[in-house]
Amino acid sequence: MQVKVNGEAVELPNGATIAALIEQLALAGKRVAVEVNEDIVPRSQHPDFSLSEGDRVEVVHAIGGG
Amino acid sequence: MTDTPEIQLPEDKPLEIAGKVYQSRLLVGTGKYHDLMETGHAIEASGAEIVTVAVRRTNIGQSPDEPNLLDVVSPDAYTILPNTAGCYTAKDAVRTCKLARELLDGHDLVKLEVLGEHKTLYPNMPETLAAAEELIKDGFKVMVYCSDDPLLAMRLEEMGCVAIMPLGAPIGSGLGIQNRYNIRLIVENAKVPVLVDAGVGTASDATIAMELGCDGVLMNTAIAQAKDPIKMANAMRLAIEAGREAYLAGRMPKKLYASASSPIDGTFF
């Protein structure tokens, strides 16, 4: 299946979880926050939250700003 | 003996934001530095305890070993203040704050800024008010970047914002405090801390903000874009302290003409 991650198309196995996506992005263990279709998915739910075809996922972190 | 009027000095209250007391009245941003090492050193030199960060997309598949800002500016050592920079609507600002709260394990202190247009980055106050209302309802502690309109500042305080942060001049302009009178009025009316956010260019600008009675100053570019950011961070620390002390000391009244400092009596010529 295909999902949009930070605006880019990403291929994932059907039913892949957010935790699996984060692993695939080499972001495991990093401080990130995840939104699916504009709703926050708390970190505690990442291992159980299955993504669906066409989901819009945002993975964000803190960067320098004023 | 004639009665001398009692001198009313301002009360020296510690800076308290959302129930937490801070020793430093200088808040700093983390943008526009050459690298994270410089960011870390400048923040240390500034003595700041509250540090702003932005929330942005991670780079997919790019250098996973890249150091993270929060490794340098640790939430254990600093109060991290996520901002909503780059947001032009209340909706985007609220979304950003929710992501920030998740990112920082439920930490709910945020710097709300909703911008109006690209050229001046002037705050869009109708959207700012809408976002503030929604965020406060959702339990956020909102420090709000706003125009220097005294009435809107009061409105934001009534709504429950924990700090009012009028601009001294446009973000990143370094023009200094352009409307001292309005900043002064906002300070006089407010019961929550008032911090000048944006516009400071050099140390004297920060001192002026503090002499006006502001509770603190938030700055980024003035330090990050100085030729020597670490030296400027230290200068800003001293400037904030000097301005605060001068405010507490109560300045002499301004006079149109001279008044000799040495006595006239006892001259021998």
Side-chain angles (χ1 to χ4, degrees):
Chain A
M1 66 172 181
Q2 199 180 71
V3 298
K4 274 267 163 79
V5 182
N6 292 354
E8 290 178 35
V10 172
E11 275 302 327
L12 288 175
N14 278 339
T17 63
I18 291 177
L21 169 67
I22 287 176
E23 187 78 34
Q24 184 173 323
L25 298 173
L27 291 170
K30 304 271 181 190
R31 193 186 273 271
V32 294
V34 177
E35 203 187 45
V36 178
N37 302 328
E38 300 195 11
D39 283 321
I40 301 284
V41 181
R43 203 166 297 148
S44 60
Q45 293 175 22
H46 291 186
D48 303 318
F49 192 104
S50 293
L51 293 166
S52 306
E53 172 76 31
D55 274 350
R56 287 169 293 116
V57 185
E58 294 291 339
V59 185
V60 303
H61 65 161
I63 65 155
Chain B
M1 235 177 87
T2 54
D3 284 345
T4 47
E6 200 181 319
I7 299 165
Q8 288 283 334
L9 286 177
E11 195 190 342
D12 187 12
K13 291 183 297 182
L15 174 61
E16 186 178 333
I17 299 170
K20 191 169 171 189
V21 173
Y22 297 92
Q23 303 306 314
S24 169
R25 293 175 182 273
L26 174 57
L27 288 68
V28 296
T30 50
K32 299 183 180 172
Y33 285 98
H34 293 113
D35 52 47
L36 284 179
M37 205 159 96
E38 189 182 68
T39 312
H41 287 146
I43 291 169
E44 210 179 324
S46 76
E49 295 166 280
I50 303 178
V51 176
T52 65
V53 302
V55 179
R56 291 291 180 272
R57 286 172 162 172
T58 54
N59 292 330
I60 295 173
Q62 284 174 10
S63 50
D65 294 328
E66 201 175 289
N68 188 291
L69 175 64
L70 295 181
D71 296 336
V72 177
V73 188
S74 162
D76 299 327
Y78 296 96
T79 294
I80 305 296
L81 182 62
N83 68 26
T84 63
C87 292
Y88 287 81
T89 62
K91 181 179 176 257
D92 287 346
V94 170
R95 233 180 120 187
T96 303
C97 288
K98 286 180 177 173
L99 279 165
R101 182 166 61 183
E102 163 65 13
L103 191 64
L104 297 167
D105 307 316
H107 170 78
D108 53 14
L109 186 70
V110 292
K111 172 185 157 178
L112 171 64
E113 59 176 298
V114 188
L115 305 173
E117 48 95 28
H118 296 81
K119 196 170 169 184
T120 60
L121 300 179
Y122 206 76
N124 177 334
M125 292 311 296
E127 289 293 307
T128 300
L129 289 161
E133 189 171 10
E134 197 172 335
L135 289 168
I136 290 163
K137 211 184 285 171
D138 197 9
F140 283 96
K141 314 278 193 307
V142 178
M143 299 176 72
V144 60
Y145 168 66
C146 56
S147 63
D148 60 7
D149 180 326
L151 294 178
L152 283 176
M154 274 201 284
R155 177 82 194 97
L156 288 163
E157 179 174 348
E158 285 162 12
M159 287 170 72
C161 290
V162 299
I164 307 299
M165 305 203 291
L167 78 170
I171 294 170
S173 70
L175 289 171
I177 317 291
Q178 291 299 298
N179 196 339
R180 297 181 194 192
Y181 180 73
N182 275 27
I183 299 290
R184 186 63 215 251
L185 284 180
I186 292 171
V187 168
E188 258 181 42
N189 293 334
K191 288 180 188 67
V192 295
V194 175
L195 299 95
V196 161
D197 179 2
V200 166
T202 188
S204 52
D205 298 331
T207 303
I208 286 166
M210 297 309 292
E211 286 173 348
L212 290 170
C214 288
D215 297 279
V217 178
L218 199 168
M219 65 179 77
N220 189 154
T221 313
I223 296 174
Q225 299 283 285
K227 290 206 172 65
D228 184 340
I230 293 147
K231 212 175 201 32
M232 187 58 91
N234 190 46
M236 290 301 185
R237 180 178 62 79
L238 297 167
I240 295 279
E241 283 175 17
R244 178 68 182 173
E245 288 287 290
Y247 169 68
L248 293 174
R251 62 153 297 151
M252 61 161 283
K254 288 184 184 178
K255 295 174 194 146
L256 188 55
Y257 297 110
S259 159
S261 301
S262 306
I264 310 293
D265 293 345
T267 47
F268 50 89
F269 38 78

